[in-house]
Amino acid sequence: QVPLVESGGGLVQAGGSLRLSCATSGRTFSRYGMGWFRQAPGKEREFVAAITRSGSSTYYADSVKDRFTISRDNAKNTVYLQMNSLKPEDTAVYYCAAANLFTVLESGYDYWGQGTQVTVSS
């Protein structure tokens, strides 16, 4: 098991920034590719960003490219999502997830956090 706990969500005005964190107490964090997903009200969960085990490669959904940055600190067992230039359409519950490979597919992730709410007001 890889317990994942997200934090850093909240209410922000359009154009603002937030940094989400996802921490785990597991000792095997560096073995997993990590991803962020989000689910807006009435919509299906969608991919946001992913990062390889070492952090050397990242991938983003087109909707967040150049605004969001995923990073990780394996010494702290934590993955981050820096979100800049936030838009009302970024409002969603954000989830972090761990996978045994580098993937953008939701089905490829084995472990999920409980999610953190991000609300962007116009």
Side-chain angles (χ1 to χ4, degrees):
Q1 290 292 325
V2 181
L4 301 170
V5 179
E6 302 97 336
S7 61
L11 174 64
V12 63
Q13 288 188 333
S17 299
L18 281 175
R19 188 176 82 156
L20 305 183
S21 298
C22 173
T24 179
S25 58
R27 298 181 179 181
T28 59
F29 177 74
S30 62
R31 299 181 185 178
Y32 294 93
M34 299 297 296
W36 286 95
F37 291 76
R38 66 186 181 186
Q39 187 168 20
K43 296 186 177 181
E44 294 187 351
R45 190 155 57 185
E46 64 176 2
F47 168 79
V48 174
I51 190 167
T52 53
R53 297 180 180 94
S54 66
S56 59
S57 294
T58 58
Y59 190 80
Y60 299 92
D62 287 343
S63 59
V64 306
K65 199 173 296 183
D66 299 326
R67 297 190 298 124
F68 290 11
T69 302
I70 186 171
S71 62
R72 66 190 297 162
D73 185 337
N74 286 343
K76 296 183 178 180
N77 291 346
T78 302
V79 62
Y80 305 97
L81 185 67
Q82 177 67 43
M83 306 186 295
N84 299 329
S85 302
L86 282 161
K87 304 175 182 179
E89 51 263 45
D90 294 319
T91 295
V93 177
Y94 284 71
Y95 299 88
C96 72
N100 285 304
L101 68 166
F102 180 56
T103 180
V104 304
L105 298 177
E106 184 175 341
S107 60
Y109 286 83
D110 302 300
Y111 306 102
W112 293 83
Q114 294 299 308
T116 185
Q117 177 70 46
V118 172
T119 302
V120 184
S121 62
S122 57

